[in-house]
Amino acid sequence: MRHKNVEIVAEKCALQEILDVIGGKWAMSIIYALFSGTRRFSELERMIPGINTRMLVKELKNLTQNGIVTRKVYPTVPPTVEYTLTPKGRKLEPSIAELYKWGQEYVK
Amino acid sequence: MRHKNVEIVAEKCALQEILDVIGGKWAMSIIYALFSGTRRFSELERMIPGINTRMLVKELKNLTQNGIVTRKVYPTVPPTVEYTLTPKGRKLEPSIAELYKWGQEYVK
DNA sequence: CGGAATCCCTCAAGATACTG
DNA sequence: CAGTATCTTGAGGGATTCCG
């Protein structure tokens, strides 16, 4: 008999927070795009094929509220808005980079 | 000017495969539970609070089809079914472990 | 024990048009 | 340019019952 005691894993808190951040369909793509540095809204839109305005806005708002990215507005005309990863967000880099590596190794 | 060229990131293939595997609400919990070794269906059910039968079945089927876990049936009465990570699945360990660490560091 | 089969429902995600 | 504002759809997920 290999497993006498079944330990409880995946207590809600940690898992939920993680999935709230990277669980969305586009969150990882956005974070990944921001690894390369600060980006404007339209840059992100062009870097991530298939995303639409509404989803980009929504995810960026979510990431901002979760303390993953910061949003900086320049009062220009037309408006300029820049998004940057926070330290908390940058700490996701190793994990996400690893996941991408895994994906590339195992896709077909 | 910091970013002359906007590189395209997050091509669909890699990202889609990754999210098909760990994007589901319970996938990460299941994979995480299997890091500790082979588990029976009912063990997983007890290790992951909040999951229900249907979702566990569904995710395990998904993970099996994606080559993340293997399913072994023993013709006993009552039936015994064991789930184990494949090498491909075990290669997710570093990334997911990192994510959990991140979650624990940054939850509240 | 390890599922399969139903029913039900919310909400994530898409498309599109409009605006300061 | 960087977003709102609507409308719509389908799939993800939950609860429950039944079965070999």
Side-chain angles (χ1 to χ4, degrees):
Chain A
M1 208 160 298
R2 229 165 320 166
H3 310 293
K4 293 268 180 134
N5 298 321
V6 172
E7 63 174 320
I8 309 294
V9 300
E11 338 70 60
K12 271 209 178 116
C13 47
L15 184 69
Q16 222 54 33
E17 164 90 355
I18 294 169
L19 289 183
D20 283 353
V21 174
I22 63 147
K25 184 172 179 180
W26 300 104
M28 273 182 55
S29 302
I30 296 172
I31 297 172
Y32 194 77
L34 289 173
F35 285 158
S36 60
T38 297
R39 296 292 182 178
R40 298 184 58 176
F41 185 88
S42 51
E43 284 183 304
L44 290 172
E45 212 163 9
R46 270 172 283 133
M47 290 170 84
I48 306 170
I51 200 170
N52 63 37
T53 304
R54 205 183 77 91
M55 280 301 111
L56 183 53
V57 172
K58 199 175 176 186
E59 271 303 337
L60 282 171
K61 198 170 287 176
N62 182 34
L63 292 172
T64 303
Q65 283 169 356
N66 281 311
I68 308 297
V69 308
T70 56
R71 179 175 181 272
K72 187 163 187 188
V73 184
Y74 297 90
T76 57
V77 176
T80 303
V81 182
E82 285 184 350
Y83 292 92
T84 313
L85 286 176
T86 64
K88 177 178 176 182
R90 260 181 272 116
K91 286 228 182 171
L92 281 170
E93 184 154 10
S95 339
I96 294 188
E98 273 277 333
L99 283 175
Y100 265 84
K101 242 178 52 190
W102 179 88
Q104 279 162 358
E105 187 170 353
Y106 281 109
V107 162
K108 257 158 301 301
Chain B
M1 210 162 297
R2 230 165 319 165
H3 311 293
K4 293 269 178 126
N5 298 321
V6 172
E7 63 174 321
I8 309 294
V9 300
E11 338 72 59
K12 273 215 176 108
C13 47
L15 184 68
Q16 221 54 34
E17 164 90 356
I18 294 168
L19 290 182
D20 282 354
V21 174
I22 63 147
K25 185 172 179 182
W26 300 105
M28 272 183 57
S29 303
I30 296 172
I31 296 172
Y32 194 76
L34 289 174
F35 284 158
S36 61
T38 297
R39 296 292 181 179
R40 298 184 59 175
F41 185 88
S42 49
E43 283 184 303
L44 290 173
E45 212 163 9
R46 269 173 284 133
M47 288 170 86
I48 306 169
I51 201 171
N52 64 36
T53 305
R54 202 182 80 92
M55 279 300 110
L56 184 52
V57 172
K58 199 174 175 184
E59 270 303 339
L60 283 172
K61 197 171 288 178
N62 181 33
L63 292 171
T64 303
Q65 283 169 357
N66 281 312
I68 308 298
V69 309
T70 55
R71 178 174 181 273
K72 188 165 186 185
V73 184
Y74 297 90
T76 56
V77 175
T80 304
V81 182
E82 285 186 350
Y83 292 92
T84 313
L85 286 177
T86 63
K88 177 178 175 180
R90 258 179 274 117
K91 286 229 181 169
L92 281 169
E93 183 153 10
S95 339
I96 294 188
E98 274 277 334
L99 283 175
Y100 265 83
K101 242 179 54 190
W102 179 88
Q104 278 162 358
E105 188 170 354
Y106 281 109
V107 161
K108 258 166 299 305

